[in-house]
Amino acid sequence: MTSDRSVALRRPRSTYDVIPSFVPVSIRDVTLLESLVLFARRRPHGSLVALLRDNADFRRLFCASALSLTGDWVTFVALSSFVYRQTGSAGWTVLLFAVNSLPGVVLLPLIGPLTDRFDRQRLRIACDLGAIIPVVGLLAAFHTRSVPLALGCLAGLSIAAAMASPIPEAALPNLVASRELPLAQTALGSLYSAGLLVGAGLGGVVSAAWGTSATLVVDGASFAVSALLIARIRQPLSKAMTTRRIRMRADTAELWTFVRSTPVVSAFLWLTVGLRLCYGMVGLLPVYALDGFHVGDAGVGVLYLAQGFGAVLGPFLGRRLVAGSMRRRLHAAGAALALFGLGYLVLAQVTAFGPGMAAALIGHIGVGACAILAVNGLQLATPDHIRGRVMVLVFGLSSAFQGVSSLAVAPLTASVGMPDTTRLLAGLAVVYAAIWMVGVTRTEKARKIAEPDTAHGDTPGLTR
């Protein structure tokens, strides 16, 4: 006859079931042991270290993105100092952001369908290897002290980035489990700022030790290693790829129909527009360091470090606030845009380097949270067959409006001065965030936004 105790030991879905049968019953009954088993079960899903350890393909994508972004910032920081020293103009320095943003925008009608119709893995490898060519051109520009050549090569890197950057965002839901997607996207999205954080410091060290040309060698090597890591990814980056035929008009029409019919997607795209419309003032950071605080090239790197550190913190803080709710995600993202504006309003007021660093840190916590919450929301709301085009659209809107904003900053700075230009764009960020939040609230009242986070059928495991 079976005892009640033995029945209890065989009950399904119990923490006892994972304890080997040879373990004494007295130990198997200990509550602490049950807790340890539950902890061991849950830990892999909540830890970035565990996710990187257990998911080799995500680890390769993460490391490849980290290397290429760090190399880019090593070059960009060195290029900022190079252009300012050659021209002595704040306008030329801000123009770098425009050149870094706009050239790839003109190719967006082609890049979007490419990302959905072609193998994303091969496309990313081609972009990484192709980016080495303009890096070699920058070596020549530094050697000949040619600013136009440097800007032309930067435009080439912008085109390569326009094709390569949306691919990890579009492919990520295919590489990680749905429950791990928010954590994975937060980590991947924060790499842009982490690359700045590490790249700014590394660029200063490499430039001081071996010269500015050495920074370009680092950048070129980062692209080569990135291509190698992407080539080793085993899972497909494109699950919904059906044909290699590109139909630019039909594919673009399908994209806009999806955007118009999905309120959450529309809301996050409008938020992206607002963030990047005000982003041109970030290009004034080197000028604040050199002419505002008078701290030299080292101060440029340190101010970029403060910016990068804030933008790394932002995504992780934002993720903790949303807790799987689309409504909280929307409200937190709007508040983050306002925080960006408030940080730069403070920056325009201070005269000391320490408070300036704090203001940049606070402002870019807002930038990091706003950008990553928007991207992750779009990933959750978009099916794989169109996700590439949506991510390219996000990248295009970001590049276009950031470029336009940067172009506007140059004449504004010349006419009204650096502090007033900063106040104007920072105030615009706060006002835009307030108006956007009103629009989101009205959409919520019309019950057009689902709760909790939405996901399409090709993203299994997420509630609708």
Side-chain angles (χ1 to χ4, degrees):
M1 182 175 179
T2 305
S3 66
D4 293 339
R5 183 176 183 77
S6 62
V7 170
L9 292 176
R10 292 199 303 268
R11 60 190 174 191
R13 297 182 181 179
S14 168
T15 55
Y16 294 120
D17 296 338
V18 298
I19 306 298
S21 59
F22 58 80
V23 177
V25 171
S26 60
I27 297 179
R28 293 165 73 193
D29 286 342
V30 176
T31 303
L32 176 60
L33 190 57
E34 289 188 302
S35 301
L36 290 174
V37 171
L38 290 173
F39 176 76
R41 283 181 170 182
R42 292 171 184 171
R43 188 179 179 184
H45 306 314
S47 167
L48 176 59
V49 174
L51 179 60
L52 290 169
R53 180 193 63 213
D54 298 336
N55 190 328
D57 286 339
F58 173 69
R59 182 172 65 248
R60 290 166 185 141
L61 181 68
F62 182 88
C63 292
S65 300
L67 282 171
S68 60
L69 286 169
T70 300
D72 284 346
W73 277 114
V74 166
T75 295
F76 193 80
V77 171
L79 189 57
S80 297
S81 296
F82 168 77
V83 170
Y84 187 75
R85 289 189 179 280
Q86 295 299 314
T87 63
S89 168
W92 276 95
T93 306
V94 174
L95 186 63
L96 287 175
F97 275 88
V99 175
N100 195 39
S101 303
L102 290 177
V105 175
V106 300
L107 298 177
L108 287 182
L110 175 63
I111 295 173
L114 273 175
T115 308
D116 283 331
R117 302 294 183 186
F118 278 69
D119 188 299
R120 292 170 184 162
Q121 186 174 27
R122 294 182 180 180
L123 185 60
R124 175 61 191 249
I125 293 171
C127 291
D128 282 341
L129 295 178
I132 297 176
I133 297 174
V135 170
V136 174
L138 281 173
L139 276 171
F142 279 22
H143 181 71
T144 60
R145 301 184 183 277
S146 171
V147 173
L149 178 58
L151 294 178
C153 293
L154 182 60
L157 286 172
S158 170
I159 293 173
M163 298 181 66
S165 296
I167 292 175
E169 311 287 355
L172 188 59
N174 299 328
L175 299 183
V176 300
S178 56
R179 64 182 176 274
E180 297 169 333
L181 181 59
L183 174 61
Q185 176 53 45
T186 298
L188 191 66
S190 66
L191 284 179
Y192 179 84
S193 305
L196 169 59
L197 185 65
V198 176
L202 184 61
V205 171
V206 172
S207 296
W210 297 287
T212 53
S213 296
T215 62
L216 301 177
V217 176
V218 172
D219 194 17
S222 72
F223 281 121
V225 178
S226 173
L228 178 62
L229 289 170
I230 296 295
R232 296 186 62 194
I233 294 177
R234 296 180 179 180
Q235 296 183 74
L237 303 188
S238 310
K239 288 186 177 179
M241 184 180 62
T242 58
T243 177
R244 292 192 175 187
R245 181 184 176 187
I246 296 176
R247 306 165 300 165
M248 290 177 58
R249 179 178 295 181
D251 288 340
T252 302
E254 182 185 12
L255 170 63
W256 287 115
T257 299
F258 172 75
V259 169
R260 286 194 302 267
S261 62
T262 315
V264 170
V265 171
S266 299
F268 280 127
L269 289 176
W270 278 111
L271 186 67
T272 299
V273 169
L275 175 63
R276 299 305 169 180
L277 190 62
C278 306
Y279 200 81
M281 59 186 173
V282 176
L284 293 172
L285 282 178
V287 188
Y288 270 101
L290 296 171
D291 286 351
F293 305 131
H294 306 288
V295 289
D297 287 345
V300 174
V302 172
L303 203 56
Y304 272 129
L305 283 171
Q307 171 198 348
F309 187 63
V312 168
L313 287 177
F316 291 94
L317 294 175
R319 175 175 169 263
R320 288 185 175 274
L321 291 174
V322 299
S325 167
M326 186 61 77
R327 289 190 176 94
R328 282 195 291 269
R329 184 183 302 279
L330 287 161
H331 289 293
L337 176 57
L339 183 63
F340 171 45
L342 292 173
Y344 270 79
L345 283 174
V346 174
L347 179 64
Q349 295 298 120
V350 301
T351 57
F353 185 57
M357 286 180 56
L361 173 71
I362 292 170
H364 284 273
I365 287 176
V367 172
C370 181
I372 300 309
L373 289 173
V375 168
N376 189 224
L378 289 168
Q379 285 176 325
L380 291 166
T382 306
D384 186 72
H385 78 276
I386 201 171
R387 191 181 298 124
R389 277 166 283 174
V390 171
M391 292 299 111
V392 169
L393 178 60
V394 173
F395 184 87
L397 290 173
S398 298
S399 299
F401 283 94
Q402 182 172 310
V404 169
S405 180
S406 299
L407 289 175
V409 164
L412 276 173
T413 303
S415 59
V416 302
M418 183 171 61
D420 285 341
T421 299
T422 305
R423 293 186 190 101
L424 178 64
L425 290 179
L428 176 61
V430 175
V431 172
Y432 191 103
I435 296 173
W436 183 85
M437 290 287 286
V438 170
V440 166
T441 301
R442 289 180 177 177
T443 305
E444 287 177 345
K445 289 180 178 180
R447 297 185 178 181
K448 294 181 179 180
I449 294 179
E451 177 77 47
D453 279 347
T454 56
H456 284 264
D458 58 4
T459 308
L462 288 170
T463 57
R464 289 181 180 271

